[in-house]
Amino acid sequence: MKRKRPGAWLALEDGTLFKGASFGAAGESVGEVVFNTAMCGYQEVLTDPSYHRQIVTMTYPQIGNYGINDTDRESERIQVAGFVVREVCRHPSNFTSSMSVEQYLRENGVVAVEGIDTRALTRHIRARGAMKAVVYSEEACTGDLVEKARSWQGFDGYDAVSRVTCGNAYRWDGRGVSTQLGRDADRPHVVAMDFGVKFNILRLLHVEGFDVTVVPANAPAETILSYKPDGLFLSNGPGDPAAVGYAVDTIRALRGKLPIFGICLGHQLLCLALGGASYKLKFGHRGANHPVKDLRSDRIEITSQNHGYCIDIDSLTGKGIEMTHLNLNDHTCEGVVSEKEMVMSVQYHPE
């Protein structure tokens, strides 16, 4: 006899309720409900620190068919506040799979819902914008879910970076995290400011020939310079860039002292340090299929993205900053460069 699964709900701050079935942990979690348009990569999405406190809806109809493995995680733990899918695959088929998505979410205490009309939810978010929400399993204590969603502070002004950055500096030695700081004299040395960096970013920096030292987001300029780096890397990360003023101050203090390259949140923080301004997008860019035009080469890149805020390119007018990349869906800024300042950045995840 087939076991009946507990019910689960997604409650939005505008009063909309979606009912489905629970396939994760029992409980209740609040966050910002967003959608991701990627067809695969759900393990990377779940563990990407840029998704901190977000309830992620996957638009692809079935999630979990190749299971969970030991190598595709982007951090040490699941980062999302909740997970929403149309249908979950309970019996994955892949030689690398060590468990199902359902088991992974339950073991990590993440509330998840399946059976929701994710097309309707996505259209609702596109029309009304990303909003505060609660994901809930009926085995938990009940209450006014909509009011709980409304009472959450949201991302504006919320320093999400301090919740995901590393506690101490470490070295990425090509195999993983090493607490033994040092230098490889045969490689150019890069210091990476960790705003929620993905493991794959560090892997590929090492593959490209860099010796990488990772420092916390609140590391002062003097500490970074003490490592005598050849360049500074500003990582991806979650939330509102305007709430991370301490990092903006550090980047501003390092302008002109060494080459700087930023991605995602790092791109936004760099632009703020250059005198720009940020704003919140209606529903953000999240997925592995966003078209971006390189304005210098006229090439179109299909990019991986995850951000809810954007840089107002007009705010950088007259500051010697050139926009290099353009989002073809909504014509927002996707990259800048200043040869005089020795800086460049892109909004997407270039790896």
Side-chain angles (χ1 to χ4, degrees):
M1 182 177 178
K2 189 174 181 179
R3 181 175 63 89
K4 183 179 179 181
R5 286 175 290 117
W9 284 262
L10 176 69
L12 311 186
E13 65 174 301
D14 68 353
T16 306
L17 289 171
F18 291 87
K19 187 179 186 302
S22 173
F23 75 96
E28 179 181 296
S29 184
V30 63
E32 181 183 58
V33 63
V34 299
F35 63 87
N36 183 294
T37 56
M39 297 173 65
C40 59
Y42 49 82
Q43 183 174 353
E44 291 89 338
V45 168
L46 289 169
T47 56
D48 182 350
S50 295
Y51 281 109
H52 169 76
R53 284 259 61 88
Q54 291 183 327
I55 299 169
V56 179
T57 303
M58 302 299 293
T59 61
Y60 192 70
Q62 187 184 70
I63 296 297
N65 61 310
Y66 56 86
I68 297 294
N69 60 52
D70 297 326
T71 58
D72 287 347
R73 57 190 174 87
E74 295 292 0
S75 67
E76 295 290 354
R77 60 185 175 87
I78 293 180
Q79 302 284 346
V80 302
F83 200 48
V84 180
V85 304
R86 181 70 181 93
E87 179 185 355
V88 64
C89 176
R90 287 177 166 76
H91 303 288
S93 177
N94 189 281
F95 73 98
T96 66
S97 177
S98 59
M99 68 178 73
S100 68
V101 172
E102 182 174 29
Q103 181 183 352
Y104 190 49
L105 293 169
R106 285 182 176 173
E107 288 185 359
N108 286 274
V110 179
V111 183
V113 186
E114 74 160 325
I116 283 178
D117 186 342
T118 51
R119 290 184 301 176
L121 174 57
T122 300
R123 288 172 64 88
H124 188 76
I125 295 171
R126 284 180 59 88
R128 302 293 295 273
M131 62 187 78
K132 296 181 286 185
V134 169
V135 63
Y136 164 81
S137 168
E138 71 175 7
E139 294 179 13
C141 296
T142 187
D144 188 337
L145 299 180
V146 172
E147 186 54 39
K148 288 180 179 179
R150 291 171 179 167
S151 63
W152 181 55
Q153 69 179 90
F155 272 106
D156 288 342
Y158 169 65
D159 178 10
V161 168
S162 63
R163 276 75 174 179
V164 297
T165 189
C166 59
N168 298 289
Y170 64 89
R171 184 180 178 215
W172 186 271
D173 64 4
R175 297 178 299 276
V177 174
S178 172
T179 57
Q180 299 298 316
L181 298 180
R183 285 291 305 272
D184 184 340
D186 295 327
R187 289 172 172 259
H189 184 215
V190 168
V191 168
M193 293 186 73
D194 177 13
F195 306 124
V197 69
K198 299 189 304 184
F199 285 164
N200 199 44
I201 296 290
L202 301 177
R203 292 187 196 106
L204 290 179
L205 283 171
H206 191 271
V207 167
E208 291 297 323
F210 293 102
D211 190 36
V212 184
T213 299
V214 183
V215 299
N218 61 358
E222 296 78 13
T223 298
I224 291 172
L225 291 173
S226 73
Y227 291 107
K228 296 181 171 52
D230 299 300
L232 178 66
F233 175 75
L234 310 176
S235 84
N236 62 289
D240 181 1
V244 199
Y246 52 88
V248 174
D249 291 340
T250 298
I251 297 165
R252 188 179 293 119
L254 293 170
R255 283 174 57 181
K257 296 182 179 179
L258 72 172
I260 302 176
F261 175 57
I263 68 166
C264 192
L265 181 66
H267 154 77
Q268 297 166 7
L269 295 172
L270 174 62
C271 289
L272 293 185
L274 294 171
S278 60
Y279 64 95
K280 197 175 196 311
L281 294 166
K282 185 175 182 180
F283 48 80
H285 302 155
R286 297 174 180 89
N289 45 19
H290 290 256
V292 169
K293 183 176 183 179
D294 184 330
L295 299 177
R296 290 182 158 185
S297 67
D298 280 341
R299 294 180 61 187
I300 308 301
E301 302 171 351
I302 304 304
T303 67
S304 175
Q305 305 210 7
N306 174 17
H307 62 107
Y309 292 80
C310 188
I311 289 299
D312 178 5
I313 191 60
D314 292 336
S315 67
L316 291 171
T317 301
K319 295 180 171 65
I321 310 300
E322 175 190 355
M323 184 170 77
T324 57
H325 294 76
L326 178 73
N327 188 295
L328 295 182
N329 285 335
D330 59 9
H331 296 157
T332 53
C333 173
E334 289 278 355
V336 299
V337 68
S338 172
E339 294 182 7
K340 179 182 177 181
E341 297 276 1
M342 296 191 297
V343 301
M344 65 180 296
S345 61
V346 291
Q347 178 62 78
Y348 53 92
H349 291 214
E351 84 279 18

